[in-house]
Amino acid sequence: MIKASDFGSDFLWGVATAAPQIEGATSSYGKGPSIWDNFSNRNGKIKNGHKMNVACDFYHRYQEDIALVKLLGFKIFRFSIAWSRILPAGRGEVNQEGLRFYHRVIDECLTHGITPYITLYHWDLPQALEDEGGWTSFSINAAFNAFVSICALEYGDKVKNWIVLNEPFGYTSLGYMLGIHAPGKTGLSNFFPAVLHTAIAQAEGGKILRAEISNANIGTTYSCSEIIPHTQSDNDLLAAKRVDCLMNRLFVEPAQGLGFPTGDWEVLEKFQMEYGTWRLQDRMRFDFDFIGLQNYFPLTIKYNAFIPVIQAWEVKAKSRKKPHTAMGWEINANSFYNIIKQFAAYPNIKNLMITENGAAYHDKVDNGNIVDAERIEYFKIYLEALLKTKRDGINITGYMAWTLMDNFEWAEGFNARFGLVHTDFKTLKRTIKYSGYWWQEFLKN
Ligand code: NOJ
């Protein structure tokens, strides 16, 4: 039976959240609108028309929720700062009430002996900046840098652990290429400039934190998935390589001074030429103290000539009759092991942390209990794979479960439940699931 102590006494255990998914109070206390507030109010964008304006009401219930973090035994609480709560118009005038709110959250963590990890950008761009083009516009970088400086100066004495961006590939692809996340833009002419400005933002954000905060531990996070070719045919192998460039390599390589992975996909070569990205190589470079990996599933990829640009297609877990979660995401702990190894192979990455991992299931309340045995099983096998990477000598220093409580899962609304704690979205009552109790026991041993 796996135990927390198998990972060593200095291994860091945490639980992760994000402001737009839990806070609510989207238009109160001086907060300005974010792209997600507006997107979720547009018809047909979110399943069942769910809205974010209350979410888990963390804004008013943060004390209860941080007490839960403590009760479950986690030592780290990861949360994000809503940019438009601090700067309602994205830049310029600061909302003092917003600043005070995050002081309260930080202080609550510290009182309980919980270390806060702050994510600076978890997808909720101020709408005012989107009106100027958002991540596609060159002006975003100065605005982001100013926001980072404000947060660093305000909280840097109390908070030493910082994450610049959450899953840059997530928001640039879903929000600026496929249009299924905010701001709902599509096409390569939006995607590529968003990628470029994001790659600059992650490095410049890191540099500002380094300059402003003494003894800061600075990271950023990446979504990652092992990309498995459907067959060993040349076509499938090359298709898998292209998807790997996009999903795993697009942001980690520029941060290391390697530029975009142009060598393995000519479309990225064209992007580099068109936008002159090689001239920006230094601006995109930053030596992070840690890299946060967020893994949920592998992807099996086959060549498909009919798919524009990428010419690749996912063969879903369901159609391959593989075990999967309620999201349809394949459960495959071995792929977790493999993708960690893939990132650990970059010579300049000093330290890896798992900053998100978890699973959604159709949890049911039964006599006040939520018996989520499948989620417990998921964590067990993923943690075993993680331990194996550590025993192989990989410098992996922490793990954060996604997520504390069921929350607003973006385009899925409240339908996808990832929490260790159940949220009743009508009454906002929190109920610890069996998986929460499982973590409590696990962390004691
Ligand atoms: C990644 C994102 O960072 C988080 O916001 C999301 O809820 C989880 N994955 C699950 O989809």
Side-chain angles (χ1 to χ4, degrees), residues 21 122-123 166-167 294 296 329 356 402 409-410 418:
Q21 296 180 269
H122 204 124
W123 304 0
N166 180 71
E167 295 196 356
Q294 319 202 143
Y296 291 88
W329 295 350
E356 280 186 30
W402 183 267
E409 176 59 24
W410 311 112
F418 279 87

Side-chain angles (χ1 to χ4, degrees), residues 316-352:
K316 299 258 189 215
K318 236 184 204 159
S319 69
R320 287 178 295 114
K321 304 208 176 358
K322 294 286 179 199
H324 53 82
T325 68
M327 301 286 282
W329 295 350
E330 181 175 341
I331 303 165
N332 181 338
N334 195 43
S335 78
F336 185 43
Y337 172 84
N338 289 340
I339 195 68
I340 295 172
K341 288 218 128 175
Q342 181 173 328
F343 274 77
Y346 287 110
N348 292 332
I349 294 185
K350 297 184 272 213
N351 172 1
L352 291 170

Side-chain angles (χ1 to χ4, degrees), residues 37-54:
D37 298 332
N38 286 1
F39 188 76
S40 64
N41 284 329
R42 269 156 65 184
N43 283 343
K45 292 296 179 189
I46 312 293
K47 264 195 195 159
N48 301 108
H50 288 160
K51 301 270 181 282
M52 312 166 66
N53 48 340
V54 176

Side-chain angles (χ1 to χ4, degrees), residues 148-150 152-153 156-157 206-214 216:
V148 176
S149 294
I150 291 169
L153 290 171
D157 286 345
K207 289 171 192 166
I208 291 167
L209 294 170
R210 182 76 81 230
E212 302 287 3
I213 305 176
S214 60

